[in-house]
Each structure stands twice: as C-alpha cells, then as structure tokens.
Amino acid sequence: MNERLLERFVKYAKVNTRSDMNSQTVPTTYSQVEFALKLAEELKEIGLEEVEFNEKNGFVTATLPSNLQHEVPTIGFIAHIDTADFNAENIQPQVHTNYDGQDILLNEKLGIVMSTTEFPQLANYVGKTVITTDGTTLLGADDKAGMASIVTAMEEFIQHPELPHGKIRIAFGPDEEIGRGALLFDVDHFQADFAYTLDSGVVGKFEYETFNAAQAELTIKGTSVHPGTAKDSMINALLVAAQFATALPQEEVPEKTEGYQGFYMLSSQVGTIDEVKATYIIRDHDKETFEHRKQHFIALVDQFNETFDQPRIDLKLYDQYYNMRDIIENDLSIVELAIDAYKSLGIEPDVKAFRGGTDGSIITYKGLPTPNIFTGAENLHGKYEFVSVEGMEQAAQVVIEIARMNAEK
C-alpha cells in the first residue's frame, strides 16, 4: 500500500488546485475542474461505480457497493481538492526515505531549511518516508493526503474482496479553503447515513467539535485632502482602520488564545487615506458567546460611526459555519465507531475541539453528520508543510477499519 500511496500523493500534489476567493465561478478555479475530471477517470479505472462529476457544484462522487449479505448503514468519506492561499505553482514534492532525524534541506539554492530546532516534531518521523516541499510552494497535503488515503483504501477493498464492508460513498469537492465548496454539496444525492472528512493533522487527531464562524467585511470611507490644509477636513481611513483594530479586545486574538477560547482576527486589509477595506473573522465554540461576539462587533461599528459627520464604516457580517458538535452530540455512535477503529489499529485517539472548521461543519448542518479524521500532515498551508507515507497509510487503514467494524453491525 505504501508505494501506491506515495505515487498517488505525489501525482496529486504536483497539480495546482489553489482556490480563489475573488472568483465567482464554481469551482473558483478551472484547475480544480481539470483535476476533478482526471480523478473521475482514475476512480473508474480502479473499479468504483456510479462515478460522477457534478458540473453544478464541482464534486466528484463514487460508490463502492456492499459485499455483505445484510444491510448496514452507508458510510461516506470526503476530502477536498483545493489547496490554500499560498504559492502552488510548480509544486515539486521532495521524498526523504528513511528520514534520519536531522535538519531537512528543502532548497539548496535558496538556502531554505526545515530545522529540528524550529520543528522538533520531526523527531517523530525518524526512519519514515517524509514528503516535503522544495521550499518555494506549499505541498498540498491539505487535503491531497486525505484524498490519496481514501482512494487507496477503496482500491484496497477492490483488490481484496475478502475485506467486509457495506456500501461506501466517497466525495471530493472544491473550494474548502475559502469556505464555499460544501455549501453546494448535495446530501440527498450522496445518500450516506453518516460520513467522515479526512482533513485533520497528525496521526491520532479526531474532531467532532469545531468553531462557530462568521466573517465581517468593513468598508471605511475617508476624506483625502492635502495634508497642508487637512485640519478639520481630512478623515484618514487608514487611521480609522487602525483605531478600530485596537478597539477590539487585544487579548482575544488567535496568537493569544487556545482551547475553547474564541477570538477576533483581522485577516486582510488594503486601502488608502480615501478608503480601506478590511476583513475580520470571528470565532467561538460556544454558540451564545459567538452571538455576543458578533453583537459586540456591530456595536463597535455603530460607536465609531457616531463620532463622524456621517456613517463612515459600512459592515457586511455573515455566518460561515457552525459547531458540528451541536448536531453530532445527539448521537455519538459515529464518534464511538471511529474511536474504536483507532484503538483497534493501535492508534491513540486525540479527541479535542478543533480550532477551525471543515467541510463537515457545513455538511453536518445539511443533515449528514460528518466528523473529521487525521491525514498525517503537519505545518499546513506553507513551505514547511510535510506528510509521511506511513501517516497516510494509517489514515487509509482507519477508513478500512471503520468500514469493517460497521459491517459487523
């Protein structure tokens, strides 16, 4: 399995499937469409059935029929095609077999090194096959490691018909990194009883609890005049933006919070004296506190506007996703199934609230409970991203074990 996983992952990783927040197409980049079409052909070649590419939502779906004589719940396994907002041109995965535990030279010409001092977790990968970037791009293990593990697990079932499993549905979709893809996911057409995304981090991670999430978009209108005659007439939108940012709770930012602590984060800002556009994200695990955060943000905008001759700050605030726990905790059997599969394979479950969201956050609220399984990847969304082949194999084995244990019902 390891050789197939390595070959499959490297093939997937080399393709630029970066999504684009500024695009209004579905998917947001055509490279995702091209990748999805090739993926659909691969799924047919390995023997999956009902392989489809949905032009309306960009999802590739397929079926592994049950090989049982009795009915069991249908499981879905889901991963995303797109990669994050980081350079994805000319990705050149570097394969380090039998890693020796030393600093990894990513790019000799540019002097880019992944050091064990900065990344001490590298010690966990001694003797394993580690895949890194060449220091100039991301790797795309988020979520092509998840994709490779799911496809390889399906291939394993097909090549070993003695492995018991009920009906399995798989789906690979676009634009997860910008929070759009799952909004168009067709739960009714997918026809699974429950599902799992493979989109977490190190081996053992398991999440069924995520943030509640909102995005706030500010447009700040200034008045630009010559600084020599600016007294009592200039409104510097850049300065207003800075004052607004510092008026928010300064201890409630990502870099100063952990666990169940929520935050406000300024995620992007561009502008001039005349106009500034700023985007904030608002996050909290607790629904009530999440609502309070949004109301505080709205009230702060109102307070600022009251100080001007006319409203200068326009706010667009909208929810992005919600904490999947509020749905899944009504029936924790799918959580228990996954944890039992981990333990059966000798993997210690690391079950913690996820300080982020997945496609499962949205899909769960569409009626398909979908917690999150590890991929084995680390340092996501940047040039120090890496994944081990062994970690991907463990993820694939979890998929197989969940299906096997479900078959015993």
Side-chain angles (χ1 to χ4, degrees), residues 268-286:
S268 67
Q269 184 167 290
V270 294
T272 62
I273 292 173
D274 195 51
E275 181 180 279
V276 168
K277 290 186 179 293
T279 299
Y280 286 82
I281 61 173
I282 301 170
R283 301 289 189 264
D284 210 290
H285 289 97
D286 181 77

Side-chain angles (χ1 to χ4, degrees), residues 174-211:
D175 299 329
E176 187 271 350
E177 297 292 356
I178 57 175
R180 294 189 201 170
L183 295 172
L184 299 176
F185 184 70
D186 191 339
V187 167
D188 293 336
H189 182 68
F190 194 55
Q191 292 188 328
D193 293 296
F194 58 92
Y196 301 93
T197 49
L198 270 71
D199 194 18
S200 188
V202 298
V203 171
K205 290 285 187 182
F206 181 80
E207 295 120 0
Y208 68 99
E209 189 170 2
T210 59
F211 276 137

Side-chain angles (χ1 to χ4, degrees), residues 112-129:
I112 301 173
V113 175
M114 181 159 59
S115 73
T116 56
T117 301
E118 188 172 4
F119 303 106
Q121 70 269 36
L122 285 169
N124 299 326
Y125 296 90
V126 174
K128 297 180 179 180
T129 298

Side-chain angles (χ1 to χ4, degrees), residues 52-67:
E52 300 177 76
F53 172 66
N54 188 319
E55 294 181 355
K56 293 182 179 180
N57 64 19
F59 274 83
V60 176
T61 55
T63 300
L64 178 70
S66 173
N67 63 3

Side-chain angles (χ1 to χ4, degrees), residues 9-16 88 90-93 139 144:
F9 174 75
V10 169
K11 179 178 69 174
Y12 291 172
K14 285 183 176 181
V15 183
N16 180 353
N90 193 32
I91 297 173
Q92 297 296 323
L139 182 61
K144 287 169 181 171

